[in-house]
Amino acid sequence: MPLRDLTPELRTRLSAVERTVGWFVMLATIVLVAGFGFYIYKTGKSKGWFITKINYATSLNDASGINVGDHVKLMGFDVGEISRIEANEPDARWGVTVFFWVKEPYYGYIWLDSKVRVNQDFLGHSSLEILKGHTGAATAYRDGGTKQVMVLLRGRARAKYKELTNDLDAVTATNVLNGFIRSNKPAYYMSLTDGKFNRPIDYAVSNWCWITPQDSTPLADRLAAVAGVVEGALPNILNLTNQLSAVLTNAAAAVLRLDHTLADAHPIVTNLGVITGNLRDTNGSLGAWLIPPSLSAELTTTLSNASATLAAAHSTLDNTDTNLTSIATDLDHTLEHLSDLTSNLAWQVQINTNLVTEISSTIVHTDDLIQGLKRHWFLRSAFKTKATNKVDKAHSR
C-alpha cells in the first residue's frame, strides 16, 4: 500500500517506528565497533603493540622444541616472545641464533651478567628463560631526564672487555668495564629509537642486544644418559629381584611352618589360659597348688605352737631380764660394801703405820715356829716325804 494512501495518523506512527529502528541500529553499530576496538586493543596489548619492547638475541647449538611466538620467561613471568630463529654460518661457534623481544619494565632486570637458559619438558617442547643479573651494568634503562629508553651497545662493551683482558684477569676486567660504562653512559648507550631496537630485526644495523647462553645438556641427552645407567644396572636389578623372590619363597615356607607350630601350640595356650584363670581366682589357687590342704593344716598347727613357744620364750626372757637386773643390783651393793671395806682397811693401814711391821714379824715368827717343829724329834716324822717320791727322783736323775 503506498504511503500516501495511509491516513495521517498511521503515517505518524510509522515515522516513530522508523526512528526507533534507526536509533537501535545506530546503537548496535556503535557497540559492535566499540567491542571490536576493545578486542583489537586487548590483542595488541597482549602482543606488545602499545608497550615499549627491546630486541634481544642469544645463540644455541640446537633449537629443537623452540618455535616463533613462544613466550620468554624471567623470574617466572612472561616477559617477551620469540620473534625469529636463524641458522648461523657452518663455521660459527653456535649453530642457531634466536631473536626475541622483552617488554617494559622487565628489560631493567637484564644485565651484562644475565644469561639465557633453555628449559625442556618431557614432551620435547623447549622454552627460553632469562636469568636475572646481579652484577655489572644494565642492558637498558629509562633516562630520568629525557624519559627515553637507553639500550647498551653490547658490541662496544664487548670490544672494551677484550681490550681490558689483555692486561687484567676476567673478574678485574669485568669490574673495570662496569665502572667505565657507569661513568660514561653516552659512549656505551644509545636511545631506543636511534638504534631501532624496537623495530623488526635488521642485520644491517644490528638492532638487538645479545645475551650469553647458559650451556645446558638437553633433556633428551640427560634422559638417554639416565637410560644408559638404568640399562647398566638392569642385570643387578634382575639379580636382586631373583634374590627377593627366593627370600619371599623362604618367608612363605617359614610362615607355613610357623602356622603348624602355632597349631601345635594351641593346646599349650589353652592350658595356659586355664592356669591364668585359676591364678585370677580370689581363693588362692596358686597357694593351693604349692601347699596341699593337709600340709596347710600341719603348718597352721606348727605355726601356732611356734607362736606359743615364742610367747613362753618372751616371758622367760622378761623374767631373766628381771633376775639379771636384781643380780646386777645386788652385785652393785656388794661392790659398794667391798669398796667400803677396802676403804676402811686402807684407812686403818694409814692410821696404824706399825700394823704391816707387826704382821711381817708375825709371819716371820710363824715361819720360825714351823721350822722348829720340823726339827723336833717328836714331830719330824710328820714332815718326812714318801718313799715313792724318792724313787721317782732317782729315776728322773
Side-chain angles (χ1 to χ4, degrees):
M1 179 184 295
L3 185 60
R4 62 178 177 272
D5 294 336
L6 298 175
T7 61
E9 190 174 311
L10 289 176
R11 286 198 298 269
T12 301
R13 290 182 179 179
L14 184 59
S15 298
V17 172
E18 290 176 350
R19 285 194 299 271
T20 302
V21 172
W23 282 109
F24 178 77
V25 172
M26 185 182 297
L27 180 61
T29 303
I30 293 173
V31 171
L32 181 62
V33 172
F36 185 70
F38 181 75
Y39 171 76
I40 293 175
Y41 171 75
K42 292 297 291 184
T43 303
K45 186 176 180 180
S46 63
K47 296 292 184 180
W49 294 348
F50 309 109
I51 58 177
T52 301
K53 38 187 186 177
I54 301 175
N55 294 327
Y56 286 88
T58 189
S59 297
L60 304 173
N61 285 323
D62 188 0
S64 299
I66 299 176
N67 302 308
V68 175
D70 290 347
H71 292 289
V72 178
K73 291 186 174 293
L74 172 64
M75 300 184 301
F77 298 97
D78 291 333
V79 299
E81 187 178 296
I82 298 176
S83 59
R84 190 170 176 178
I85 302 175
E86 294 286 344
N88 296 334
E89 296 295 331
D91 57 347
R93 177 183 177 185
W94 305 96
V96 179
T97 299
V98 180
F99 299 94
F100 56 92
W101 54 261
V102 176
K103 61 185 177 181
E104 191 177 15
Y106 296 103
Y107 52 73
Y109 296 94
I110 305 174
W111 293 3
L112 280 174
D113 62 330
S114 296
K115 292 185 179 182
V116 176
R117 179 174 60 191
V118 179
N119 296 326
Q120 193 174 36
D121 56 18
F122 289 99
L123 299 178
H125 182 268
S126 301
S127 61
L128 297 183
E129 181 183 6
I130 303 174
L131 303 180
K132 178 181 176 297
H134 298 281
T135 59
T139 57
Y141 72 97
R142 183 175 289 277
D143 190 5
T146 61
K147 302 299 182 181
Q148 291 184 349
V149 177
M150 307 299 293
V151 183
L152 178 67
L153 299 175
R154 188 63 181 260
R156 188 173 299 178
R158 184 66 180 175
K160 185 63 177 178
Y161 177 77
K162 289 183 178 181
E163 180 184 345
L164 292 173
T165 53
N166 293 330
D167 300 325
L168 303 173
D169 59 274
V171 177
T172 306
T174 301
N175 295 332
V176 173
L177 176 62
N178 293 336
F180 274 126
I181 294 175
R182 292 173 183 173
S183 61
N184 192 13
K185 290 184 177 181
Y188 291 94
Y189 286 92
M190 180 181 292
S191 66
L192 180 68
T193 55
D194 293 343
K196 300 180 181 180
F197 291 101
N198 57 343
R199 301 292 181 85
I201 299 299
D202 188 356
Y203 281 94
V205 294
S206 299
N207 57 342
W208 65 82
C209 185
W210 190 80
I211 304 177
T212 305
Q214 184 183 61
D215 294 332
S216 59
T217 305
L219 181 61
D221 295 343
R222 294 199 297 269
L223 290 177
V226 172
V229 174
V230 172
E231 184 178 1
L234 190 59
N236 296 329
I237 295 175
L238 294 176
N239 292 332
L240 180 61
T241 55
N242 293 332
Q243 293 175 2
L244 288 175
S245 177
V247 170
L248 292 176
T249 302
N250 295 332
V255 170
L256 183 60
R257 289 195 297 270
L258 181 61
D259 189 17
H260 292 308
T261 303
L262 291 176
D264 296 337
H266 182 70
I268 299 175
V269 175
T270 304
N271 295 332
L272 288 176
V274 174
I275 293 172
T276 53
N278 293 330
L279 291 178
R280 288 195 299 269
D281 189 3
T282 56
N283 294 326
S285 298
L286 181 61
W289 288 355
L290 297 177
I291 303 175
S294 58
L295 182 61
S296 176
E298 294 178 359
L299 286 176
T300 302
T301 304
T302 303
L303 291 176
S304 299
N305 296 333
S307 177
T309 303
L310 289 175
H314 181 69
S315 177
T316 303
L317 289 175
D318 290 340
N319 295 331
T320 303
D321 186 34
T322 302
N323 295 332
L324 287 176
T325 303
S326 301
I327 292 171
T329 303
D330 295 339
L331 181 60
D332 185 38
H333 291 314
T334 302
L335 291 176
E336 288 179 357
H337 294 319
L338 180 61
S339 176
D340 293 338
L341 181 61
T342 55
S343 298
N344 293 330
L345 180 59
W347 181 72
Q348 290 294 333
V349 170
Q350 290 177 359
I351 294 175
N352 299 317
T353 56
N354 296 326
L355 180 61
V356 175
T357 304
E358 292 176 356
I359 292 173
S360 178
S361 299
T362 303
I363 293 171
V364 170
H365 294 161
T366 302
D367 184 63
D368 293 338
L369 176 62
I370 295 300
Q371 295 296 329
L373 290 175
K374 287 181 179 182
R375 290 190 299 268
H376 194 271
W377 61 270
F378 184 75
L379 298 175
R380 184 183 305 168
S381 60
F383 294 98
K384 289 183 179 181
T385 58
K386 294 180 180 181
T388 56
N389 292 335
K390 292 182 179 179
V391 173
D392 292 337
K393 288 181 181 180
H395 285 295
S396 63
R397 292 177 181 177

